[in-house]
Amino acid sequence: MAFQVSPGVLVQEKDLTNIIPAVSTSIGAYAFNARRGPVSEVTLISSEQELVSVFGKPDTGNFEEYFTASSFLQYSNSLKVVRTENTGIKNAVTNSGTAVLVRNTDHYNSTYLATGPYVGTPGIEFIARFGGAYGNSLKVSVCGSATAYEQNAVTTVNDSAVSVNDTTITVTSGTNINVGDIIAFSTTAATDDYDDGQEYEVTAVSTNDITIKKKGSTGGLTRTITNGSNVRRRWQYYDQVSGAPGTSPDVLAAGGSNDELHFVVIDTDGSVNGTKDEVLEVYEKVSKASDSKDAGGSNNFYPEVIYRKSSFIYWGDHNSNGTNWGNAKAGTTYTDVSAPFSHTFTGGVDGTVTDGVRKTAFEYFQDGESVDVGLIMAGNASANLIGDLMTIAENRKDCVVFASPQRSDVVNIASAINQTNNVLAFFNTIRSSSYVIFDSGYKYMYDRYNDVYRYVPLNGDMAGLSARTDLTNDAWFSPAGLNRGIIRGAVKLAYNPNKTQRDELYRARVNPVVSFPGQGIILFGDKTGLTTPSAFDRINVRRLFIVLEKAIATASKFQLFEFNDEFTRANFRNLVEPFLREVQGRRGITDFLVVCDETNNTGEVIDRNEFIAEIFIKPARSINFITLSFVATRTGVAFEEVAG
């Protein structure tokens, strides 16, 4: 407080209106072997459509993992995903270069552009933006000049025996015609009249013989071609852009020329979007000049445009014939590459997934201060991996793990008794903890991407039910039962335990998932993986304390570096008690007591620079057992005589 030297009025404010903030407990966390997408990076996904867009569609190798994530997204729009860095995984590259691993954009910037802005990887013109064999489906086609875009009279017909429907034409020289080029024939010999409108795609070149088919169709010539007719050649993807590349206004104003180029990214086999040879991306009139600007003032240098916009490729190096490419624009004439050039991607490898690989990926969620998650899904995981995930949750203390038995425990096992024994044996190997929730198996669901039905683990649904409960009620409500425990997207269960089997499972900390006729498939238990009888052996109590601890701990940070005196302690109590009364009013607790005074903040505590608050909670309990007693009485007996 400032001291006043002369008389006056000093106005000061002290804010005592702080409240405990709402905290999130419904964000999912998952690591899996995806087909594409950034590796070893946490990515927020809000829908199944976005999951497919970023990480690709499921296949026979990863459908269990994929549908664990997509099942969660049926209930929630907040899932953080890490793609595993598989052992031996590589990104596909062009120019037959040695494949490399580019984990994500940060890794690309620090490793492959480390020597300066857009000083890339020598000899590799482009790199697939994602690791794995998926990148081998890509092709890049570049048109670097007006000549590459179109050449009139590139050669002439030298075939006197041409007739309608012919598919092989002899020309005077085929050296300037390549597979994929789009050609047209003049209507009269020795003219440049191409007005008949019919174009053909070159499918093969052999010396002076070119094989053709009608563009966008099948069949050969639509008319007889006069011997000596001129042949016009166009870039295969000319109709994807507005015209030939030339000189951009920005470079022209700086005294440069010939800086524009076009390029497209193509899906060669349909693996990306399902259509063979589909054009995925088009970049028109980007610049070879390192400092070129587009009409909106953004950098138009083609590696920068690729970096900023492409979902499929990174730039690696300039074309070997592209002299001056990458120079500043002032007074520079950029060398034309007279013919279009295409690069297919090769060398992409998926690599091998192990428990160690998955553990490393899940460890991106271990820091609760930097990554906010509440619901960790194990997918199809071994007991060892589940134990590793439990350690993450126990150290964080603000999230829980959801785990299913192994596929071999319940899928295609004829005997329900054997299924029960398998599930019990599997979970019996996992240690006691209130930070893990076990379910009984797998659901049968439709895979619309591959038109098949598949069995997938239920832990994605279990986590999803908890997330949905957070949104419809509160985290301290049980996510089980007919009100909040109905499973979505399931045709049937691999294992549908009866009452006796459910009793065995429940005694062993396993929450049965049951199909009831006319009622659906339902989570029918709310136990945690704690073996000791305790309030914390229930999901709702564990998640209640996560909410209370996370919210109050967050608010308590504002007490740091204040004085441990009665003012601060009273301020803390006035902060916490209204919050707990609100939780009590929302049925989360039945009673509470906050002790934060001189009884626990003694002189010794104060001298150690500590601050202690003890918060006593009576949690609300969910109903697990209902007893209905029906009593028949004689006529004339008053109920008061027999009741109670």
Side-chain angles (χ1 to χ4, degrees):
M1 182 175 182
F3 290 98
Q4 297 190 82
V5 178
S6 61
V9 177
L10 177 65
V11 178
Q12 292 187 320
E13 292 181 348
K14 182 71 174 179
D15 188 1
L16 298 178
T17 64
N18 294 337
I19 61 171
I20 292 185
V23 293
S24 173
T25 57
S26 57
I27 302 174
Y30 193 51
F32 79 111
N33 171 36
R35 297 187 68 191
R36 71 180 197 211
V39 172
S40 300
E41 180 179 276
V42 178
T43 303
L44 179 62
I45 301 295
S46 60
S47 67
E48 183 174 358
Q49 181 180 4
E50 188 176 5
L51 182 70
V52 170
S53 175
V54 176
F55 294 105
K57 300 174 183 176
D59 58 25
T60 55
N62 75 350
F63 69 87
E64 287 182 328
E65 296 172 317
Y66 173 89
F67 284 112
T68 296
S70 73
S71 292
F72 177 82
L73 291 168
Q74 293 183 88
Y75 310 89
S76 173
N77 62 356
S78 188
L79 173 64
K80 292 182 178 178
V81 176
V82 175
R83 183 186 176 192
T84 56
E85 185 176 322
N86 302 346
T87 303
I89 187 173
K90 298 291 183 182
N91 296 53
V93 299
T94 61
N95 299 51
S96 300
T98 302
V100 297
L101 172 61
V102 184
R103 296 182 177 89
N104 47 58
T105 298
D106 287 344
H107 186 217
Y108 170 73
N109 289 338
S110 64
T111 303
Y112 298 97
L113 297 177
T115 57
Y118 297 102
V119 179
T121 307
I124 299 176
E125 196 161 340
F126 300 101
I127 307 170
R129 205 169 183 103
F130 38 81
Y134 201 47
N136 298 331
S137 301
L138 298 177
K139 181 177 79 172
V140 174
S141 182
V142 181
C143 177
S145 68
T147 304
Y149 179 85
E150 181 178 279
Q151 289 176 292
N152 288 331
V154 65
T155 187
T156 59
V157 174
N158 186 27
D159 194 334
S160 59
V162 178
S163 60
V164 175
N165 295 324
D166 279 356
T167 57
T168 301
I169 312 294
T170 301
V171 296
T172 56
S173 174
T175 56
N176 289 326
I177 297 179
N178 298 292
V179 174
D181 287 341
I182 305 300
I183 63 172
F185 301 101
S186 63
T187 56
T188 308
T191 71
D192 289 336
D193 178 12
Y194 307 100
D195 290 341
D196 75 326
Q198 184 60 58
E199 293 182 319
Y200 304 90
E201 180 182 346
V202 177
T203 59
V205 178
S206 178
T207 313
N208 292 341
D209 287 341
I210 58 175
T211 304
I212 62 171
K213 69 178 184 75
K214 286 192 288 185
K215 183 175 181 289
S217 182
T218 58
L221 291 172
T222 59
R223 62 179 176 87
T224 301
I225 305 298
T226 303
N227 197 39
S229 295
N230 288 331
V231 181
R232 180 189 68 197
R233 182 206 57 77
R234 281 176 168 170
W235 179 41
Q236 182 178 2
Y237 303 100
Y238 82 91
D239 54 357
Q240 298 289 327
V241 296
S242 60
T247 302
S248 67
D250 181 58
V251 171
L252 181 65
S257 61
N258 300 328
D259 70 300
E260 290 185 340
L261 58 84
H262 310 315
F263 67 89
V264 298
V265 182
I266 303 104
D267 178 5
T268 61
D269 59 9
S271 294
V272 179
N273 284 345
T275 303
K276 186 177 184 295
D277 295 326
E278 179 182 4
V279 174
L280 302 171
E281 295 177 337
V282 178
Y283 298 92
E284 180 177 354
K285 296 184 177 180
V286 293
S287 181
K288 306 162 190 170
S290 60
D291 56 348
S292 172
K293 304 291 183 184
D294 61 21
S298 298
N299 191 321
N300 197 37
F301 186 35
Y302 76 99
E304 169 67 21
V305 174
I306 293 171
Y307 173 81
R308 211 170 56 239
K309 296 183 177 181
S310 180
S311 299
F312 300 98
I313 62 172
Y314 289 119
W315 176 78
D317 193 10
H318 298 299
N319 180 263
S320 58
N321 297 319
T323 309
N324 297 336
W325 290 24
N327 290 353
K329 61 192 175 186
T332 302
T333 299
Y334 295 92
T335 302
D336 284 340
V337 179
S338 61
F341 54 93
S342 295
H343 293 313
T344 56
F345 286 71
T346 60
V349 179
D350 290 330
T352 304
V353 186
T354 63
D355 270 6
V357 164
R358 294 195 68 199
K359 178 187 176 185
T360 300
F362 273 109
E363 286 173 350
Y364 280 85
F365 302 115
Q366 64 186 356
D367 183 5
E369 290 186 332
S370 61
V371 184
D372 186 16
V373 296
L375 310 164
I376 301 176
M377 291 158 281
N380 181 16
S382 68
N384 286 337
L385 181 57
I386 294 170
D388 292 332
L389 302 186
M390 290 162 58
T391 299
I392 292 174
E394 290 162 350
N395 289 338
R396 288 179 56 115
K397 298 189 182 303
D398 65 351
C399 59
V400 291
V401 176
F402 295 83
S404 305
Q406 301 245 278
R407 182 181 187 88
S408 58
D409 291 334
V410 293
V411 174
N412 296 326
I413 304 297
S415 168
I417 295 174
N418 290 341
Q419 291 174 312
T420 304
N421 292 335
N422 291 344
V423 173
L424 294 174
F426 177 74
F427 286 123
N428 189 51
T429 64
I430 300 174
R431 70 178 186 273
S432 171
S433 175
S434 67
Y435 289 92
V436 67
I437 296 161
F438 303 139
D439 66 70
S440 60
Y442 276 57
K443 69 177 182 180
Y444 196 58
M445 62 170 293
Y446 178 61
D447 173 1
R448 60 189 176 93
Y449 303 101
N450 298 288
D451 193 26
V452 295
Y453 286 88
R454 303 191 188 274
Y455 282 109
V456 299
L458 281 162
N459 56 81
D461 293 271
M462 302 301 102
L465 290 174
S466 295
R468 188 178 63 186
T469 298
D470 290 4
L471 299 175
T472 59
N473 298 94
D474 282 297
W476 49 81
F477 281 75
S478 172
L482 294 173
N483 292 323
R484 292 177 294 275
I486 297 178
I487 305 297
R488 295 177 174 177
V491 177
K492 62 180 181 179
L493 295 170
Y495 168 44
N496 187 28
N498 60 29
K499 179 63 169 64
T500 301
Q501 292 155 356
R502 296 199 300 270
D503 290 346
E504 292 185 73
L505 294 171
Y506 217 48
R507 283 192 293 268
R509 312 171 290 162
V510 181
N511 296 296
V513 179
V514 189
S515 178
F516 290 121
Q519 296 175 323
I521 296 175
I522 301 165
L523 171 61
F524 219 59
D526 63 356
K527 276 196 174 185
T528 66
L530 190 67
T531 55
T532 306
S534 162
F536 291 99
D537 69 3
R538 304 293 158 166
I539 297 172
N540 65 299
V541 176
R542 166 43 64 209
R543 301 196 69 232
L544 164 71
F545 273 76
I546 286 175
V547 170
L548 299 183
E549 291 166 6
K550 188 174 182 178
I552 295 173
T554 300
S556 297
K557 289 180 180 179
F558 292 95
Q559 311 303 318
L560 289 171
F561 311 109
E562 300 298 323
F563 296 117
N564 190 345
D565 55 17
E566 181 52 33
F567 180 88
T568 300
R569 295 191 289 269
N571 189 34
F572 177 82
R573 294 193 299 271
N574 291 335
L575 183 68
V576 173
E577 288 175 348
F579 171 70
L580 293 176
R581 280 194 291 272
E582 181 183 0
V583 174
Q584 185 178 22
R586 289 158 56 184
R587 304 172 64 193
I589 60 181
T590 59
D591 201 3
F592 66 88
L593 173 66
V594 180
V595 179
C596 183
D597 52 29
E598 68 280 355
T599 64
N600 51 2
N601 287 273
T602 62
E604 291 80 2
V605 170
I606 294 171
D607 289 344
R608 294 197 303 266
N609 302 103
E610 295 179 5
F611 179 89
I612 294 177
E614 295 173 288
I615 302 170
F616 299 85
I617 300 293
K618 292 182 180 179
R621 308 295 185 99
S622 65
I623 299 171
N624 271 208
F625 311 100
I626 296 176
T627 300
L628 302 176
S629 297
F630 295 86
V631 181
T633 69
R634 299 189 307 277
T635 304
V637 173
F639 289 130
E640 292 79 5
E641 297 177 22
V642 295

